Amino acid sequence: RAEPGRAEPGRARSLGPRGVAAPARVSRLCPVRRRGGVWPRPSGRWPRGRVSSSPSTHARSRSIPFIIPPTLHGRDWINLTKEGHIQEGSDLYVIPPSGPRSSFHSLAGAYVVGTINQELYRFPEDISETDFPEGNIGRLWFSIEYEQESERLLVSLIKARKLQPPDDSCSPFVKIYLLPDERSYLQSKTKRKTLNPQFDENFVFQVSSKMLLQRTLKFLVYHVDQQKKHHLLGQVIFPLKNETLTDDNKLVIWRDLEKENLEPPSEYGDIQFSLSYNDYLGRLTVVVLRARGLKLQEESHAVSVYVKVSLMNHNKFIKSKKTAAVLGSPNPVYNETFSFKADQTELDTASLSLSVLQSVKGEKTHLLGRVVVGPFMYTRGKELEHWNEMISKPKELVKRWHALCHST
């Protein structure tokens, strides 16, 4: 018989606590059992390993075990600890023997009843913070709310991201207009040396509920350089006519900045619109965005301006649609979409005519200007380029400015 604390001949023994020899371990992956449980390692940890090498065990993904504590055991639960341990993934969960409890034994008698899939609890990624298209010059976030009783439009300027200043540093601020009034505006504070300013400022415009849907918000984002000069970085135009504004409906919106057209208006004004053609559906889409520099016959709020869009084929009228009228503004904003059926074989003979018309109550409608876009048969220059680009980029909106003229 070997002396205490010494190994028997031919067998390696390890010393347990207080110099007592612990039983030999048969396998690194399978702890030796004794009556009443499993011998713990001296460090209080258990060997990691696989009990089974079946394909299902290797393929199982790691997940979070959902454990029922002993106090909640009931007859309806299936005790999974009859074998003394539970395997989940590659970890070995062992039920320690009964006895004095320490922090290691705080889950004694508990058993796993399932797992929690972590993927189900991930917050969806906000793509507005990460998805910036090529050529983007910045993005602006804001919210709007309308108080019916006090007739106040509440505008909250939240933040801007990915601004593109002419210099390395950027100190941005924002001017907010409520069109058609372009003489007065509200202005934010200047944020120093940041391309991603956080504004969190609130502004109030007084406007009646009858006129609200005729108004348009305009945000101009500027950069202040070291010489205190202001450089326009971009703008956002947001018409209110398509929005549902109530006391309990606060809209949070983001829009990409657009470059302002710095060229002087043409003689009769300009119009901006987008074209798109869906060859699969045979559908021609026109988005009338805005006009500028219109020569109104009367400077009055009673004057209304609208755009009439007509589809022609071989100079024969096919169909026409018109926008809602905007009151008293030489720079009206529309943002209205129209669709026409047009077979792909007709694109060489079809054309679009956009006419800007002014009407005064009780008087005859007056033509302010007109532009025609179409194939080589009818157009040249920018109008022909716009049409050809629409055909070469199916299902994509192609946006351009065009000068108005009085020719018929």
Side-chain angles (χ1 to χ4, degrees), residues 52 114 133 138 160 348 389:
S52 170
D348 289 334
E389 187 177 358

Side-chain angles (χ1 to χ4, degrees), residues 12-32:
R13 300 292 295 274
S14 60
L15 295 181
R18 299 181 182 179
V20 179
R25 196 175 293 130
V26 175
S27 169
R28 182 175 181 81
L29 302 181
C30 182
V32 175

Side-chain angles (χ1 to χ4, degrees), residues 238-250:
F238 186 77
L240 299 177
K241 62 183 176 182
N242 297 323
E243 305 302 325
T244 304
L245 300 174
T246 58
D247 291 335
D248 57 348
N249 184 25
K250 184 176 183 178

Side-chain angles (χ1 to χ4, degrees), residues 160-330:
R161 294 291 182 267
K162 300 280 188 177
L163 298 180
Q164 304 293 323
D167 306 322
D168 293 336
S169 64
C170 182
S171 297
F173 70 90
V174 181
K175 290 182 179 180
I176 307 175
Y177 296 81
L178 187 60
L179 304 180
D181 182 10
E182 296 195 67
R183 292 173 295 179
S184 59
Y185 60 87
L186 300 176
Q187 182 173 320
S188 74
K189 297 178 182 178
T190 301
K191 300 298 180 180
R192 300 293 177 185
K193 298 181 179 179
T194 175
L195 299 176
N196 304 295
Q198 189 78 28
F199 293 103
D200 294 325
E201 296 184 50
N202 301 314
F203 305 90
V204 178
F205 291 93
Q206 200 72 39
V207 55
S208 67
S209 56
K210 292 182 180 180
M211 295 297 299
L212 179 65
L213 299 184
Q214 296 287 337
R215 312 302 285 272
T216 297
L217 281 170
K218 179 179 180 180
F219 301 85
L220 297 181
V221 182
Y222 288 90
H223 156 63
V224 185
D225 63 17
Q226 294 180 352
Q227 285 74 39
K228 306 299 181 183
K229 292 183 180 180
H230 295 177
H231 303 271
L232 181 62
L233 300 180
Q235 66 176 5
V236 169
I237 305 294
F238 186 77
L240 299 177
K241 62 183 176 182
N242 297 323
E243 305 302 325
T244 304
L245 300 174
T246 58
D247 291 335
D248 57 348
N249 184 25
K250 184 176 183 178
L251 301 177
V252 179
I253 303 145
W254 62 265
R255 289 289 186 273
D256 287 331
L257 297 182
E258 297 179 342
K259 291 183 179 179
E260 187 181 43
N261 190 353
L262 300 178
E263 298 179 4
S266 59
E267 182 180 359
Y268 299 105
D270 303 282
I271 184 171
Q272 186 188 42
F273 57 91
S274 298
L275 297 178
S276 176
Y277 184 71
N278 188 318
D279 51 354
Y280 179 75
L281 299 176
R283 183 172 63 198
L284 178 60
T285 300
V286 184
V287 183
V288 181
L289 297 169
R290 62 187 74 118
R292 68 185 187 112
L294 301 179
K295 304 300 186 287
L296 302 181
Q297 297 298 307
E298 295 183 23
E299 294 292 335
S300 168
H301 287 291
V303 174
S304 61
V305 181
Y306 64 93
V307 179
K308 181 180 179 181
V309 184
S310 303
L311 175 65
M312 314 288 288
N313 196 348
H314 286 291
N315 282 329
K316 179 182 178 182
F317 172 79
I318 303 298
K319 193 173 185 178
S320 69
K321 300 180 181 182
K322 64 181 183 179
T323 68
V326 175
L327 298 178
S329 173

